Amino acid sequence: MRLYVVRHAHAGSRSAWDGPDEDRPLSPKGHRQSADIAEALAPAGATRLVSSPYRRCVQTLEPLADRLGLAIDEDDRLAEGADGADAVALADELRKEPEAAVVCSHGDVVPEMLRIFKATTVRFKDPFVWPKGSTWVITWDGERWTKARYIPPPDVSLW
């Protein structure tokens, strides 16, 4: 089983947004990134999509949900400010999925998840980074989480 941990796509500046941060949407660049993320992850065979309830995270997974015909479950354990250990507990629940699951979270939760994985049995070969729109693929071998592979954010600068 593979767990795809996505940091939400580009959402623009907090200071330029007037509403509650939970409602801040993706930017045009973020929408292009989310379409490319969907194209890249669609072949993975995900059977579950789980997102932070924040709008930008849900929007990041919407193109993938549309392609796969899946609903996006929202989970507060992926919300900004959530405890990384709680997000890893969610990952442990999702490991029962037959092929793959995709989660989308924030720039504070994703690195905490990765640090917890790194402190256990997971081998990391790639740089320890998590820019917006990036994905980490964490592999479950049937007994434990074993390796992590980094997928950089889609390059949408030419659009």
Side-chain angles (χ1 to χ4, degrees), residues 37-105:
I37 290 167
E39 186 174 328
L41 298 187
T47 53
R48 285 282 303 278
L49 305 178
V50 186
S51 175
S52 158
Y54 285 45
R55 183 175 180 193
R56 57 192 175 270
C57 284
V58 173
Q59 287 182 316
T60 298
L61 293 186
E62 283 175 344
L64 181 60
D66 290 344
R67 283 185 89 141
L68 299 176
L70 295 174
I72 300 169
D73 298 321
E74 295 179 15
D75 195 305
D76 288 336
R77 292 176 286 183
L78 296 170
E80 191 167 51
D83 187 296
D86 291 338
V88 170
L90 171 62
D92 286 339
E93 292 169 20
L94 292 171
R95 71 179 188 223
K96 297 172 183 83
E97 293 300 316
E99 294 296 324
V102 180
V103 299
C104 185
S105 192

